[in-house]
Amino acid sequence: MPNEYGIIRVACSTPGIKLANPEYNCEEIIKLARKAESKGAGIICFPEGALCGNTLGDLIYQETLYKANIAAIEKLKNASRDFEAVIVFGSYLKIKHRIVNVAFVLQRGEILGVVPSEKSTGIDEESTLEVAGENITFSRHCFTDKSTGAVFVVQSGNVFPNISEKFFSACCAGANIVINLTATPASYGTFEMNKSIAVANSMPALVAICTADAGPGESVSDNVYLGGSFIVQNGKVISECETLSMESTIIYGDIDVKILDYERMRSDTFKEIIEKTSYYIYAPDEKEIGPIPTLNLEEHSLLSIYDKHPYVPSDKMDLANKCKTVFKIQATGLARRISQIGCRKLVLGISGGLDSTLALLVCDEALRLLGRPSKDILAVTMPGFGTSATTFGNSHSLMELLDTDSMEISITEAVSRHFSDIKHNPEEHDVTYENAQARERTQILMDLSNKHGGIVVGTGDLSEAALGWCTYNGDHMAMYNVNSSVPKTFIKHILEWYMEDRLQGSENYSKNDKKLCEVLMSIIDTPISPELLPVDEKTAEMTQKTEEKIGPYELHDFFIHSFMHYGLDPEKLMAIAEIVFKDSYSRDEISKCLEIFYRRFFTQQFKRNCSPDGAGTDRVSLSPRNGLKIPSDVDFSMWLKDFK
């Protein structure tokens, strides 16, 4: 993969050391480094004190051990000539009658830097010392590789539980990777605490934190050492080791520094951190190095950066928590709007599809929060030329089981009369044929809301808004849209959570609840369709399926997330999508879908510019008020030429 993509694999290793045997430990570090580089690692990290151990006691003052330590440092330096990767490891030096824990940074036979431990005070960083045949200067550099965009700093010592101002100073100075070399005595909860601290600080700093921790090779006289290595990126643990392993361990994490830099440009929180001048007290200087090897995706698969379904957490508990939170945000936002304007009815169209079903459940919950009955919902099903028997039946079942005020209004006669008025041939199933139906339905809902003193609740989701897959001034319009920030691939998971948590999890689970679950399962299993083209004459089932027209929503949601959250350019997005979906779609299928995404995303901005209010549930929004803002008239040709 080209350097400009900026994806670097970091390896954090806990070697199985022999205490006070730097010669053996040196060989173990070289062996593990060689293994890590063969797996694609561009930066390879070893713990604080990895060369001799951290629990030496008074042996650390012995000249015999120190000579062996220096010899091992020189051997490691020479061995690094055979590596393209950067190697970072902990050891110690004697400086003016003091013992100082340090971190060495090596690449291609050169000592790039020697970083004193965070616990070392009063060290003159301008003084030089001869080590392994080189005059070295102590430093807390930002090591910068301009070819990849990687900027890393090294911290040595017990940086947890308190992350110092030096951490934020380094991030403000440009560091997008922080390497921590630590030695942590094991106790209950320590590993989880360290991870949680790293997660909490990596999010506002928009940085990757890579921690290599000393393990059970240390003395066990008073403590067992944890070996708790982990890698965190922007608030997420992307890799962690099994703690207290008796064997050497290596974990890997792929870090896209371009993503981190892109998000920093967009983050108000990061800008606020930069503006706090106290963070500049410890700002490190810059040392240009490199190039750091980037990940070759022809040889190695991506790890932990790009989720196939980025809006759907893979962990079951996280998924349930997200479903609950998003649903609560939707219902609370609608309840607040209802109470503010004092409307008597919530009016919405029920198609029997995913979006309108979720919107109906949100309406029901919003009214429950306000202590109002479900009869304050006016649910309207409006069958037309393309309404299938399945969705028609599910619509009526939903309205009945939720005990809403409901209506059925067929649009076929009104639309047919409209075709006659505008002189449109009803046998011509073009965009006019489809959009006339959507606008007729919207007109009905708007007029009913006026009649009953209510508001029209929109049902369109984020994926449809991104693609402009809606009829302008038809289903595109509402008075409040509860689904505006919910992607298509996430909606079915909210419905599944609703069944499990709100219905089946209830002590008062009833026959009606069971029937509602059956209806919801049928809706989840029904193909996505606007149902605007005539049904099959024999089966009365739909003939129009959205994903056959515009491509799979799982691809589009992946594109939306990568484009909006990460700012990936077309060539890189195409390359990443090929890897992530290699078992699902061919290159041609992905390329075709990506072209559809770019064309529709840019050309349909005019619809998003006048979209209705709706509560945000994600960090990036398409709202014209506080979301992604792009001009409607942009020339998007550059986005179409780089990935084919």
Side-chain angles (χ1 to χ4, degrees):
M1 173 165 279
N3 279 353
E4 60 266 23
Y5 284 4
I7 299 177
I8 295 169
R9 177 163 293 175
V10 177
C12 293
S13 177
T14 299
I17 68 166
K18 289 185 177 181
L19 196 58
N21 191 338
E23 183 178 354
Y24 173 87
N25 299 336
C26 175
E27 292 295 337
E28 185 70 6
I29 288 171
I30 293 170
K31 181 179 75 173
L32 292 168
R34 190 170 289 116
K35 179 180 178 181
E37 188 172 65
S38 73
K39 299 289 186 181
I43 301 176
I44 307 167
C45 313
F46 298 91
E48 178 184 16
L51 204 53
C52 298
N54 293 277
T55 50
L56 295 165
D58 288 344
L59 287 179
I60 202 168
Y61 305 115
Q62 292 286 320
E63 189 67 17
T64 300
L65 179 61
Y66 188 64
K67 287 180 179 178
N69 172 52
I70 295 298
I73 291 170
E74 184 164 9
K75 186 173 183 179
L76 262 174
K77 173 198 164 187
N78 293 333
S80 72
R81 292 176 182 146
D82 298 330
F83 291 87
E84 293 296 312
V86 174
I87 299 173
V88 185
F89 67 94
S91 186
Y92 73 98
L93 292 173
K94 290 182 179 180
I95 304 163
K96 297 179 181 178
H97 309 294
R98 296 182 61 187
I99 300 295
V100 180
N101 280 336
V102 295
F104 280 85
V105 183
L106 308 178
Q107 188 182 33
R108 302 184 185 93
E110 179 186 355
I111 298 176
L112 300 178
V114 180
V115 183
S117 164
E118 294 293 297
K119 293 177 284 189
S120 301
T121 57
I123 301 299
D124 183 2
E125 296 184 9
E126 299 304 317
S127 63
T128 59
L129 183 71
E130 185 177 332
V131 178
E134 285 191 38
N135 288 324
I136 61 170
T137 302
F138 291 106
S139 60
R140 288 189 172 92
H141 294 303
C142 275
F143 297 94
T144 303
D145 175 15
K146 293 187 177 179
S147 68
T148 63
V151 182
F152 71 88
V153 293
V154 178
Q155 297 182 335
S156 178
N158 187 14
V159 296
F160 305 111
N162 298 311
I163 289 185
S164 69
E165 281 191 324
K166 295 175 184 177
F167 167 84
F168 289 102
S169 294
C171 295
C172 290
N176 41 40
I177 300 173
V178 174
I179 295 170
N180 289 332
L181 310 188
T182 65
T184 309
S187 61
Y188 178 74
T190 300
F191 187 48
E192 295 303 320
M193 180 191 71
N194 288 349
K195 284 191 298 180
S196 66
I197 292 170
V199 165
N201 285 278
S202 70
M203 186 175 290
L206 291 165
V207 70
I209 300 177
C210 308
T211 300
D213 190 30
E218 298 287 347
S219 170
V220 294
S221 297
D222 294 301
N223 291 294
V224 172
Y225 278 71
L226 194 60
S229 299
F230 59 84
I231 299 173
V232 168
Q233 178 169 297
N234 189 11
K236 179 182 178 183
V237 178
I238 62 173
S239 184
E240 60 184 281
C241 73
E242 179 183 350
T243 59
L244 301 172
S245 172
M246 297 299 292
E247 305 294 331
S248 296
T249 62
I250 310 177
I251 60 169
Y252 302 93
D254 294 342
I255 297 168
D256 191 327
V257 296
K258 299 293 187 182
I259 288 177
L260 295 171
D261 291 346
Y262 179 80
E263 293 196 294
R264 282 179 173 183
M265 287 188 290
R266 294 177 53 82
S267 170
D268 290 335
T269 302
F270 189 73
K271 292 170 187 173
E272 289 172 7
I273 291 174
I274 291 178
E275 289 170 2
K276 293 180 180 179
T277 54
S278 62
Y279 287 144
Y280 286 108
I281 295 173
Y282 302 104
D285 58 352
E286 181 179 341
K287 180 179 178 67
E288 189 171 342
I289 65 165
I292 298 171
T294 49
L295 191 62
N296 186 337
L297 292 177
E298 294 179 358
E299 298 179 12
H300 306 286
S301 297
L302 271 172
L303 301 173
S304 307
I305 306 179
Y306 300 97
D307 296 323
K308 191 173 187 178
H309 301 113
Y311 294 107
V312 182
S314 56
D315 180 80
K316 187 175 181 180
M317 185 174 292
D318 289 344
L319 176 59
N321 287 336
K322 181 175 180 180
C323 289
K324 180 179 180 179
T325 301
V326 169
F327 187 76
K328 190 171 182 179
I329 290 172
Q330 291 176 282
T332 303
L334 180 59
R336 174 70 179 89
R337 179 55 57 92
I338 294 169
S339 61
Q340 175 64 30
I341 63 178
C343 74
R344 299 194 298 273
K345 284 280 189 181
L346 298 178
V347 181
L348 73 161
I350 306 299
S351 68
L354 289 171
D355 293 351
S356 65
T357 299
L358 176 57
L360 179 58
L361 296 176
V362 169
C363 289
D364 184 65
E365 178 68 8
L367 291 174
R368 188 191 67 79
L369 292 174
L370 296 172
R372 291 174 57 174
S374 56
K375 286 293 185 184
D376 285 351
I377 299 172
L378 176 55
V380 188
T381 184
M382 296 167 281
F385 306 121
T387 302
S388 67
T390 298
T391 55
F392 181 74
N394 285 339
S395 297
H396 276 280
S397 296
L398 275 176
M399 296 186 294
E400 179 183 348
L401 292 167
L402 290 171
D403 194 28
T404 68
D405 193 0
S406 59
M407 297 180 70
E408 178 188 330
I409 302 174
S410 173
I411 65 167
T412 53
E413 185 178 341
V415 173
S416 295
R417 186 166 58 249
H418 180 61
F419 287 158
S420 176
D421 291 340
I422 66 171
K423 296 180 174 53
H424 180 76
N425 181 0
E427 298 302 317
E428 188 177 341
H429 299 160
D430 59 3
V431 67
T432 303
Y433 180 89
E434 294 188 29
N435 286 350
Q437 297 173 68
R439 292 194 179 101
E440 177 62 25
R441 289 183 171 120
T442 301
Q443 175 180 263
I444 290 170
L445 296 175
M446 291 289 181
D447 291 344
L448 283 172
S449 72
N450 293 154
K451 179 179 175 65
H452 294 278
I455 60 170
V456 175
V457 177
T459 64
D461 60 54
L462 179 138
S463 307
E464 291 178 343
L467 296 169
W469 193 250
C470 53
T471 299
Y472 189 82
N473 206 32
D475 55 317
H476 149 264
M477 190 46 64
M479 296 166 181
Y480 191 85
N481 185 359
V482 294
N483 292 340
S484 60
S485 62
V486 185
K488 184 75 78 177
T489 52
F490 188 57
I491 289 178
K492 72 173 185 177
H493 293 283
I494 302 180
L495 298 185
E496 289 169 348
W497 162 83
Y498 186 92
M499 286 188 286
E500 182 175 343
D501 184 83
R502 305 303 297 276
L503 298 177
Q504 296 168 346
S506 170
E507 295 179 359
N508 302 315
Y509 187 59
S510 64
K511 289 183 179 180
N512 271 6
D513 291 335
K514 182 178 180 181
K515 290 180 181 177
L516 181 54
C517 284
E518 291 172 355
V519 173
L520 293 177
M521 282 306 304
S522 175
I523 290 168
I524 289 170
D525 292 337
T526 301
I528 299 166
S529 172
E531 294 194 313
L532 297 173
L533 297 180
V535 296
D536 185 283
E537 293 182 0
K538 294 181 180 179
T539 65
E541 293 299 340
M542 68 178 64
T543 58
Q544 184 183 24
K545 297 177 182 178
T546 299
E547 291 178 300
E548 292 179 356
K549 177 73 173 177
I550 62 172
Y553 270 113
E554 68 172 347
L555 280 177
H556 283 299
D557 281 357
F558 182 83
F559 298 153
I560 291 165
H561 188 272
S562 300
F563 178 79
M564 291 171 54
H565 286 252
Y566 300 155
L568 298 193
D569 61 67
E571 182 184 356
K572 183 173 179 179
L573 179 49
M574 181 66 200
I576 298 300
E578 278 191 86
I579 296 165
V580 172
F581 292 97
K582 63 182 179 182
D583 297 327
S584 305
Y585 306 102
S586 68
R587 174 180 172 80
D588 287 344
E589 288 173 318
I590 296 171
S591 177
K592 179 181 178 181
C593 193
L594 183 55
E595 181 175 355
I596 290 171
F597 166 73
Y598 280 128
R599 287 187 182 279
R600 294 199 65 90
F601 188 89
F602 285 108
T603 61
Q604 303 297 295
Q605 175 64 21
F606 73 97
K607 294 180 182 177
R608 297 190 290 271
N609 281 342
C610 54
S611 57
D613 291 352
T617 62
D618 190 77
R619 289 189 299 116
V620 177
S621 164
L622 286 171
S623 166
R625 291 163 291 279
N626 65 354
L628 187 69
K629 298 177 179 65
I630 60 172
S632 298
D633 308 311
V634 66
D635 180 356
F636 56 92
S637 57
M638 287 190 299
W639 280 267
L640 296 178
K641 67 182 181 180
D642 289 337
F643 65 90
K644 296 181 181 180

